[in-house]
Amino acid sequence: SCDKGMKPLVCSMDASNTGQPIALLDVQVGESYFIYIGSDLDAGCLEGTGMLSIEYQEQDVCVGDANGDNVVDIEDFSQLLIDYGTTGESAADFNGDLVVDVNDFSLLLIHFGNVCSG
């Protein structure tokens, strides 16, 4: 059955350079997504065909490393203190919620002393 209450995260009727519609979506670890290929859901759940291609790119992430030196140390803690309470993009926003707060501090503490592969 179709869930007409779903809200699309991405929809594309624009043709890519291959002449086919293409849609790109950044996803989050631990989240589930419903992928629908075919006609508009409002059209009564008509069947459609398409091709689904999924690419996975692992990101080198060193959680707690605000300065990018692959070591979680006092320098990263200093950056967190400088940015604490700010919103928006920050190297000290370790959980990616655009707020530097106690949650980022907790992540820094968990990973403090880690040396990451670079």
Side-chain angles (χ1 to χ4, degrees):
S1 71
C2 289
D3 181 355
K4 293 195 180 205
M6 290 186 297
K7 303 264 191 274
L9 294 175
V10 63
C11 179
S12 177
M13 299 312 291
D14 298 328
S16 67
N17 59 4
T18 63
Q20 300 295 317
I22 187 170
L24 301 174
L25 172 66
D26 289 326
V27 296
Q28 301 296 318
V29 172
E31 294 291 324
S32 298
Y33 299 91
F34 174 78
I35 298 172
Y36 182 86
I37 300 173
S39 64
D40 185 349
L41 286 175
D42 290 333
C45 298
L46 300 175
E47 291 185 19
T49 62
M51 182 180 87
L52 174 64
S53 174
I54 298 176
E55 293 182 26
Y56 172 74
Q57 296 177 342
E58 187 171 337
Q59 297 178 351
D60 292 329
V61 176
C62 187
V63 176
D65 181 24
N67 64 359
D69 66 355
N70 292 321
V71 179
V72 182
D73 57 14
I74 194 68
E75 292 177 21
D76 305 303
F77 178 65
S78 296
Q79 186 63 54
L80 184 132
L81 289 178
I82 291 167
D83 291 354
Y84 197 87
T86 62
T87 58
E89 296 289 325
S90 168
D93 179 22
F94 305 126
N95 65 356
D97 67 352
L98 300 177
V99 179
V100 180
D101 57 12
V102 68
N103 297 312
D104 301 298
F105 178 66
S106 295
L107 286 172
L108 183 119
L109 287 178
I110 290 167
H111 297 281
F112 197 85
N114 284 359
V115 177
C116 306
S117 62

